[in-house]
Amino acid sequence: MIQLKGISKTFSGAKAVHALNNVHLHIPAGKIFGIIGPSGAGKSTLLRCINLLETPDQGEVWVDNVRLDTLSPKELRRARQKMGMIFQHFNLLSSRTVAENVAFPLEIAKVDPAQRRLAVAELLELVGLSDKANAYPAQLSGGQKQRVGIARALANKPRVLLCDEATSALDPETTKSVLQLLKSINEQFNLTIVVITHEMSVIQEICDLVAVLEHGTVQEWGPVVEVFTRPQAQATKRMLRGTFAANIPPELLDRPSQSRGPRRLLKLSFVGDRAHQPIISHMVQNYKVDANILFGRIDQMKDLPFGMLVLELVGDEERLSQAVSFLESQQVELEVLA
Amino acid sequence: MLQQAFIETLTMVGASTAIAAVCGLPLGLILACTASGHILEQPVINRILGAVINVGRSIPFIILMVAVIPFTRFVVGTSIGTTAAIVPLSIAAIPFVARLVESAVFEIDRGVIEAAQSMGSSPWQIIWKVLIPEARPALVLGLTITTVNLVGYSAMAGAIGGGGLGDLAIRYGYQRFRADVMLQTVVLLVILVQALQTLGDWASRKLSRR
Ligand SMILES: Nc1ncnc2c1ncn2[C@@H]1O[C@H](COP(=O)(O)OP(=O)(O)O)[C@@H](O)[C@H]1O
Ligand SMILES: [Mg+2]
């Protein structure tokens, strides 16, 4: 759906900033694609290159099989009407009511007034703000403002929705509900959504795919579960640290064992259905080893459960190796720590 | 006599405010939109227009009034009287209004303009649907300041034969030692300025949805 080919962007100034360096990305249709990275990584610049709010110095921007960076200003404006965008600070027009804000893109696209009214009513219904149609943005909460932003972005039935830190100004509760709204819109309209954020939890909750951006370079990208369970890049590992199941408190590894004799320290990661299956109890019953759970947690990644356990196995050598090979055969991610 | 002078003052101020608004608004919009990083970035036009406006603003009104006499004569056929005074008053107010419009536009959050761009708005649509409506409360306040300033300037214009309250105060109050006339005109001017400011504040508040 969206293809970025070798995008580079440098901001000149007192000190030139290389915001993006040769970025390649393919964002498939109908997916929620997350771009995560620390502040200053170039996320906003990258997102703004997709609708050409920022003109890349190099590279090609393709959306829906149209190359955008070579369009005339007029053609580009038409193309933008089919791309919605929402912002961290909502960017609503303070002089317009909620309904008038949602009508704005329809006016821009020269939709006739009668149709506009119908569309606005429908959009407000979709985001649950029908009762606020005549309120002004200043009278709304942050979450409500972002809902107006979403309704406005969807007005011209875009193929793509670009979200720049859309929940970063919201409290956790509101963030959840806005993310759920985005997710349901994605499912309902098969809309391609690009989400940029510095928050792991946003990626975790709604994204199918993720790209990790740092210093203007894509460090790695792929399905969220893959990238988060088997991080390759240092940037990803650093970001995952402490956030969830990928990490073990270091004290655990240093603690002397309570039991004497042979033992194994294992780290198991489960994804999806495996997280529900009683693998551990099978192992304990079949191989007659003792298992102490030293640490464990289960997180949810979009619709997939994702868990991690640190186990200490105690028993004789032979049984221990059998137990370990059993676990290895179980399609769980296994790491022998000690 | 007082009533006549009051009407002349209102005529001068009203007409020159209207002319300054009509000419200053587009100039201010051009000034703002051609600034670097704005929707119609044009550094050369911006610099030239900015310089011209600065020159206009730096000429003292007394001198301007005299300097534009030939132009005034060309436009209205005479250089004395209330109608003639409207010309220098307008010329003085136009660059002032242009700068006020420019700063009102600069006050608009860049993000809002960007949002409009992201929806495919043309520069023209942004000017009409975003810049002017969003700047409206600030524009009304700016226009109020302009009007109040013009009340003061009109008194000066009166001194060279433009009529109005200033003229009256000088001719009767000062030159003929009519302290009562002087006092009346001053009170009237104070009331006028107060009324204009109150009206402007009210209108701006009414328009502001923040
Ligand atoms: N318009 C601009 N002019 C100059 N530098 C900019 C501009 N926009 C962004 N930058 C710089 O580019 C880098 C990337 O910025 P940005 O894309 O906003 O990062 P992020 O969204 O990941 O925090 C930063 O160092 C920022 O200072
Ligand atoms: Mg950013």
Side-chain angles (χ1 to χ4, degrees):
Chain A
M1 186 61 166
I2 301 174
Q3 264 187 301
L4 301 178
K5 300 183 183 171
I7 300 290
S8 296
K9 175 81 190 179
T10 301
F11 291 106
S12 51
K15 193 166 166 287
V17 180
H18 301 284
L20 297 173
N21 300 309
N22 192 27
V23 171
H24 290 266
L25 271 186
H26 172 78
I27 300 174
K31 299 286 186 205
I32 304 186
F33 193 105
I35 298 172
I36 189 167
S39 172
K43 306 182 296 292
S44 297
T45 308
L46 183 59
L47 192 77
R48 292 155 49 84
C49 279
I50 296 176
N51 62 4
L52 271 293
L53 280 180
E54 210 74 76
T55 319
D57 299 332
Q58 268 171 44
E60 300 176 12
V61 180
W62 293 78
V63 176
D64 217 0
N65 295 319
V66 178
R67 182 168 173 187
L68 297 188
D69 54 308
T70 50
L71 293 181
S72 71
K74 197 168 170 207
E75 291 167 325
L76 177 61
R77 289 200 291 268
R78 290 200 65 83
R80 279 178 179 162
Q81 289 173 8
K82 288 292 172 192
M83 289 194 264
M85 189 170 192
I86 59 175
F87 307 85
Q88 178 173 6
H89 298 297
F90 325 119
N91 297 347
L92 303 176
L93 285 114
S94 64
S95 57
R96 287 180 171 231
T97 62
V98 165
E100 289 165 349
N101 263 286
V102 177
F104 183 91
L106 298 165
E107 291 171 26
I108 297 301
K110 307 207 160 70
V111 173
D112 76 69
Q115 243 176 310
R116 231 188 281 157
R117 264 193 301 279
L118 279 177
V120 168
E122 215 170 280
L123 287 157
L124 290 179
E125 178 85 42
L126 176 75
V127 300
L129 283 178
S130 301
D131 56 329
K132 296 283 182 192
N134 296 316
Y136 284 89
Q139 299 164 316
L140 303 181
S141 70
Q144 289 171 330
K145 284 184 204 171
Q146 196 57 290
R147 284 168 186 274
V148 179
I150 292 171
R152 181 175 72 169
L154 296 178
N156 281 321
K157 303 201 188 320
R159 303 287 318 272
V160 171
L161 178 64
L162 308 174
C163 312
D164 188 348
E165 302 274 5
T167 56
S168 297
L170 305 176
D171 62 66
E173 209 50 41
T174 318
T175 294
K176 264 211 157 58
S177 77
V178 168
L179 291 178
Q180 285 318 305
L181 176 62
L182 289 176
K183 197 168 147 192
S184 78
I185 289 165
N186 161 257
E187 286 159 6
Q188 198 175 338
F189 304 111
N190 195 32
L191 181 71
T192 310
I193 302 183
V194 186
V195 174
I196 71 172
T197 181
H198 62 274
E199 291 169 316
M200 217 51 157
S201 55
V202 171
I203 304 285
Q204 186 191 350
E205 250 168 80
I206 60 167
C207 292
D208 302 298
L209 297 151
V210 64
V212 178
L213 194 72
E214 202 176 73
H215 306 308
T217 312
V218 176
Q219 305 287 332
E220 70 178 301
W221 73 282
V224 174
V225 171
E226 205 127 303
V227 172
F228 280 10
T229 53
R230 285 185 280 273
Q232 304 297 317
Q234 283 307 316
T236 320
K237 290 181 184 160
R238 219 172 311 126
M239 239 163 1
L240 285 165
R241 197 165 295 158
T243 43
F244 40 34
N247 273 76
I248 311 167
E251 318 80 85
L252 266 184
L253 300 178
D254 303 336
R255 201 157 55 195
S257 172
Q258 301 295 317
S259 59
R260 300 188 178 282
R263 63 167 202 141
R264 291 279 194 285
L265 207 54
L266 304 176
K267 178 183 142 188
L268 287 83
S269 311
F270 315 77
V271 176
D273 289 344
R274 291 279 155 191
H276 297 308
Q277 289 179 11
I279 299 170
I280 305 299
S281 76
H282 274 182
M283 179 193 69
V284 170
Q285 281 167 16
N286 296 346
Y287 299 96
K288 306 278 186 284
V289 291
D290 286 330
N292 300 321
I293 295 174
L294 300 183
F295 181 76
R297 60 185 287 182
I298 292 188
D299 288 292
Q300 186 90 5
M301 234 180 255
K302 197 165 183 185
D303 303 317
L304 281 180
F306 163 46
M308 191 268 270
L309 270 184
V310 176
L311 285 183
E312 184 191 43
L313 301 188
V314 183
D316 66 51
E317 266 307 330
E318 197 193 325
R319 283 181 179 159
L320 281 179
S321 1
Q322 284 173 347
V324 170
S325 16
F326 164 75
L327 290 175
E328 277 168 347
S329 70
Q330 289 300 307
Q331 293 180 325
V332 298
E333 194 70 11
L334 180 73
E335 196 182 325
V336 180
L337 300 170
Chain B
M1 195 168 63
L2 201 61
Q3 191 187 351
Q4 164 88 33
F6 187 63
I7 289 170
E8 282 168 2
T9 293
L10 285 187
T11 310
M12 281 188 284
V13 171
S16 51
T17 300
I19 293 170
V22 168
C23 301
L25 184 68
L27 282 177
L29 286 169
I30 294 170
L31 207 53
C33 295
T34 56
S36 84
H38 229 285
I39 55 172
L40 292 169
E41 188 172 333
Q42 289 289 347
V44 177
I45 295 178
N46 186 266
R47 204 130 356 107
I48 293 172
L49 189 59
V52 170
I53 283 171
N54 282 346
V55 169
R57 288 194 60 193
S58 55
I59 299 174
F61 181 63
I62 293 273
I63 295 171
L64 181 86
M65 224 163 30
V66 178
V68 300
I69 282 176
F71 178 70
T72 307
R73 227 181 247 134
F74 171 76
V75 176
V76 294
T78 168
S79 63
I80 45 173
T82 305
T83 319
I86 291 170
V87 176
L89 284 172
S90 303
I91 292 174
I94 288 169
F96 186 70
V97 171
R99 283 292 179 200
L100 284 169
V101 171
E102 181 195 28
S103 75
V105 170
F106 282 163
E107 259 174 54
I108 300 169
D109 187 352
R110 291 284 331 192
V112 174
I113 297 167
E114 209 153 74
Q117 286 175 318
S118 80
M119 291 178 259
S121 313
S122 65
W124 196 239
Q125 286 172 319
I126 292 178
I127 290 171
W128 278 111
K129 290 178 182 290
V130 180
L131 300 188
I132 295 177
E134 289 292 294
R136 212 158 37 196
L139 290 178
V140 168
L141 278 186
L143 222 50
T144 307
I145 296 172
T146 310
T147 315
V148 169
N149 279 350
L150 282 171
V151 171
Y153 283 2
S154 76
M156 270 193 263
I160 62 154
L165 291 169
D167 191 23
L168 190 69
I170 289 182
R171 276 193 290 131
Y172 286 80
Y174 181 67
Q175 291 165 353
R176 298 185 197 173
F177 307 106
R178 288 279 303 271
D180 58 331
V181 176
M182 182 70 106
L183 191 66
Q184 281 169 340
T185 53
V186 170
V187 168
L188 213 50
L189 282 171
V190 169
I191 292 173
L192 178 61
V193 168
Q194 288 288 353
L196 287 171
Q197 190 64 55
T198 309
L199 184 71
D201 288 345
W202 173 82
S204 171
R205 239 192 342 269
K206 192 92 180 149
L207 286 171
S208 174
R209 309 293 189 179
R210 286 181 187 281

